[in-house]
Amino acid sequence: MRSEEHSAWERDFPVRYLLVRENYDEENGRTSDLWGRCADVEGLLMDPPPLPREILTLRGCPRDSVLARAVTRFTDPVRVLGDVELMIHPTDPSNDGPHRFWMLADTAVLAHRPTPGDPERVDLTVGAGVKEDVYWGCQQLPSSPQFELWANSLVPGGPVGCCLSIDGLFSPRPQRPAQPLHLIGCEPAEPLLAELRSPRPADDEVTELWALDRNGRHMAQYDFDFRATEVRPSVLGGALVDITVADPAKDWPWLAGRPTLAARDVREVWYDGVPTRRNLWAPFDEHGRKEWHNLCRIGPYGPGVGRSGGTYHLDGQYATERAGLLLALGEALIGPGGTYGHCLESVKDHLGGGPSVFSPFTLVWHHADVARAALAHDPDRHGSFFEQTVDLLSRYGVTVVLR
């Protein structure tokens, strides 16, 4: 279904969203059905609320672990661990039993003391925001669990230690307030009218909310579980209706990642069409730049599509963090509104033969010292993000000239 075919109506305000339901059958494959057109949506863009701070005690951390050594050393002990990932898995590595995953956000060490009865272990008391990953994990706890901890501030990309148990981890937590969506000025198509007249039981079907630009182009998308809780005459008048949809995170938490408030200003720039000038993303902060990246397209991709050779110029004066560096690289190779990858793994894929240009070619990186200095912090064993990017390009046949 082409969004442009459904973006015009005889009203004084534009269609900014389409409601779409995807279907699949063996005869026709995957098809898209129009459910409705909307003038706008309220409650779609929001920043996630901060996690409440909680006190946890990590019981029985081995004294010789990276974590214990870092927080108990006599001189300059580590007090701030940042985000800590927790994986609970069976103690026996050959046991493919249930796993549970948690995030301990902004973890700060409050105290440490010897584990009673075991001088080779310590108990650590920390403050953190606590959130379980309900998508990747399961609710069942292994019969013989091991609590493994990962903290990039101590060991980038690797475990820092473990513990025998964690006091307070499984405490009940209050439900967050419901956050419904409000579809404003909605013109329902027949499938949506049928749903509103006789709601079907919950199923696994995903409803898509397509954000359109001024020309009716499908600009961005949000997937959610459609469960209408109220339908009323629209505040915009006419035959339109306003529909309140239940909080998508209630039953389908893996679909609850709504665009942040930073997306509002970014989408307003893109509303006039795909940008034609470079560095329009530069005024945005890191969150806005990530949202900008989400709107970029890689363009045609596949054998015979791209070309190799030539010289390209990367304007690095605004590459002050990872998203900015990748946006600058995409604009250098593909042009405004294009991306050469959302991470180094996808950049590597494109270098092997992808959109617009693939190696070998020459990349002249102007203002390279900006990224070199800004990305010097938090290196891993492969170096800083700047060094990894230059190394990746060079290994795949790109001649990188730093200026």
Side-chain angles (χ1 to χ4, degrees), residues 236-381:
L236 301 182
L240 302 176
V241 295
D242 294 344
I243 303 174
T244 297
V245 179
D247 188 346
K250 178 174 173 48
D251 296 318
W252 292 22
W254 51 92
L255 295 179
R258 303 191 197 186
T260 65
L261 291 176
R264 191 185 309 278
D265 291 339
V266 171
R267 291 187 180 184
E268 286 302 309
V269 176
W270 281 72
Y271 184 68
D272 288 329
V274 178
T276 57
R277 292 188 292 122
R278 295 190 177 189
N279 293 329
L280 291 179
W281 50 266
F284 296 106
D285 63 11
E286 182 178 2
H287 299 290
R289 292 179 178 190
K290 288 180 179 179
E291 293 292 349
W292 186 284
H293 221 152
N294 291 335
L295 300 182
C296 291
R297 297 290 186 266
I298 67 170
Y301 188 83
V305 172
R307 62 184 183 275
S308 63
T311 299
Y312 300 85
H313 294 266
L314 188 155
D315 181 358
Q317 60 183 318
Y318 305 112
T320 54
E321 30 64 61
R322 297 188 181 201
L325 189 159
L326 293 171
L327 288 172
L329 179 63
E331 287 193 343
L333 300 177
I334 300 180
T339 177
Y340 209 67
H342 289 69
C343 63
L344 291 186
E345 279 299 313
S346 55
V347 170
K348 181 172 66 175
D349 291 341
H350 297 342
L351 288 171
S356 183
V357 59
F358 56 90
S359 56
F361 59 87
T362 298
L363 180 70
V364 181
W365 191 323
H366 301 272
H367 307 285
D369 285 346
V370 172
R372 189 197 306 273
L375 296 167
H377 66 287
D378 194 24
D380 62 18
R381 63 183 183 277

Side-chain angles (χ1 to χ4, degrees), residues 189-213:
E190 183 53 40
L192 177 54
L193 289 172
E195 173 71 20
L196 296 176
R197 287 192 296 264
S198 180
R200 293 175 296 176
D203 55 26
D204 291 335
E205 296 294 332
V206 175
T207 302
E208 301 170 355
L209 192 60
W210 292 8
L212 309 183
D213 68 9

Side-chain angles (χ1 to χ4, degrees), residues 215-229:
N215 304 308
R217 184 184 67 90
H218 180 184
M219 180 173 59
Q221 180 174 317
Y222 174 71
D223 299 344
F224 67 106
D225 175 26
F226 184 92
R227 290 177 292 112
T229 59

Side-chain angles (χ1 to χ4, degrees), residues 87-88 93 143 148 150 183 291 302-303 311 315 346 393:
M87 178 171 62
I88 307 175
S143 57
E148 188 171 74
W150 299 57
L183 311 181
E291 293 292 349
T311 299
D315 181 358
S346 55
L393 293 169

